[in-house]
Amino acid sequence: TTQTSGHQQTRTCQSMAKPSSSPKTSRSGSKTPKSRSSIDFNSVPLIALNMGVRKKFSLYLNPETSVAANWMDLAEEMGFDYLEIKNYEREENPTMKILEDWQARCTKGGSVGLLLDFLRKMGRDDILTDLSRLIEEDCKKYFEREKLEKMEMQKKNQPVQVHTVDSSDIRTPELQGITTRDDPAGGMPELFDAFICYCRADISFV
């Protein structure tokens, strides 16, 4: 189901993204190189990318040139339709806006891996090469934050438990021997003060 509000629509990433096609060649004519990083970018949500990296994406994609694919091509790869893309022309920073909207309309917030796949298909391996280190750093920071948050949650959920049980022996010198060793022979009855809590209705029983 599609809900229309202004020029934005709510859909899933799978329904929005264009069908996969063969990778485009870069501006140098060579195939886009695959990432050598050990990070699974498909498991990293787009929210992991901080403002610094997003601003650099804008520097590469905002200029409209006939030489390289720009933000319009990226918006089309993400599944935005013609009217939506025309509306983005009014934005001061269209690249930043489409990244935010794509992240919001995807059921899982989109992924860094899917964004990188779009750029490969567009032949913008220059962006992948120049920003790969910054993207990887943001992803690592995201995983570190996730790990710390999980550790904090585990600490909060753990019951308060003392590893050693303290002794119940009487340690005050003047109380030593009371009730157990004050009359070992049992010649005298021992007297204790007792306090009883009861309801008014139970007074006859008490």
Side-chain angles (χ1 to χ4, degrees):
T1 304
T2 302
Q3 297 178 347
T4 304
S5 176
H7 66 273
Q8 299 182 12
Q9 298 177 331
T10 303
R11 309 175 192 168
T12 62
C13 293
Q14 292 181 347
S15 63
M16 291 176 54
K18 295 175 63 179
S20 300
S21 59
S22 58
K24 295 181 180 180
T25 57
S26 65
R27 286 182 292 179
S28 62
S30 60
K31 293 284 185 178
T32 302
K34 293 184 178 180
S35 173
R36 297 179 181 178
S37 173
S38 59
I39 297 176
D40 179 14
F41 292 110
N42 290 319
S43 66
V44 184
L46 194 66
I47 195 174
L49 298 183
N50 290 321
M51 294 302 296
V53 171
R54 293 172 186 243
K55 288 179 180 179
K56 289 187 179 298
F57 274 128
S58 300
L59 294 177
Y60 281 91
L61 294 171
N62 279 348
E64 297 182 14
T65 66
S66 58
V67 179
N70 58 23
W71 68 268
M72 292 185 180
D73 300 277
L74 178 60
E76 188 174 352
E77 290 292 339
M78 289 177 169
F80 292 98
D81 59 35
Y82 172 77
L83 291 179
E84 290 176 313
I85 295 174
K86 291 295 292 183
N87 282 326
Y88 284 124
E89 289 182 339
R90 305 173 184 174
E91 297 290 338
E92 181 179 354
N93 190 336
T95 299
M96 186 78 74
K97 183 61 176 173
I98 64 173
L99 287 175
E100 292 175 355
D101 288 353
W102 183 63
Q103 175 182 316
R105 67 168 58 184
C106 290
T107 54
K108 294 184 178 181
S111 72
V112 175
L114 193 53
L115 174 61
L116 300 184
D117 286 342
F118 291 154
L119 294 173
R120 289 190 186 96
K121 289 172 63 179
M122 293 162 52
R124 293 306 303 265
D125 53 308
D126 57 321
I127 301 178
L128 299 175
T129 301
D130 295 347
L131 302 185
S132 60
R133 181 181 60 83
L134 296 176
I135 294 172
E136 187 169 343
E137 286 178 358
D138 276 358
C139 292
K140 288 180 178 179
K141 291 177 182 177
Y142 171 80
F143 284 128
E144 289 174 0
R145 289 194 301 268
E146 288 281 294
K147 184 178 180 180
L148 290 175
E149 289 176 3
K150 288 181 180 179
M151 291 175 62
E152 289 296 325
M153 287 297 296
Q154 290 176 354
K155 288 181 180 179
K156 290 180 180 180
N157 294 331
Q158 283 181 350
V160 178
Q161 183 176 357
V162 180
H163 296 290
T164 58
V165 180
D166 196 5
S167 173
S168 59
D169 291 342
I170 299 174
R171 298 183 179 181
T172 309
E174 61 269 20
L175 298 180
Q176 290 289 345
I178 290 182
T179 73
T180 57
R181 291 186 287 273
D182 54 349
D183 185 20
M188 295 179 59
E190 296 186 58
L191 301 178
F192 303 92
D193 291 327
F195 297 91
I196 303 175
C197 297
Y198 60 91
C199 298
R200 188 177 299 274
D202 297 331
I203 186 63
S204 59
F205 172 78
V206 176

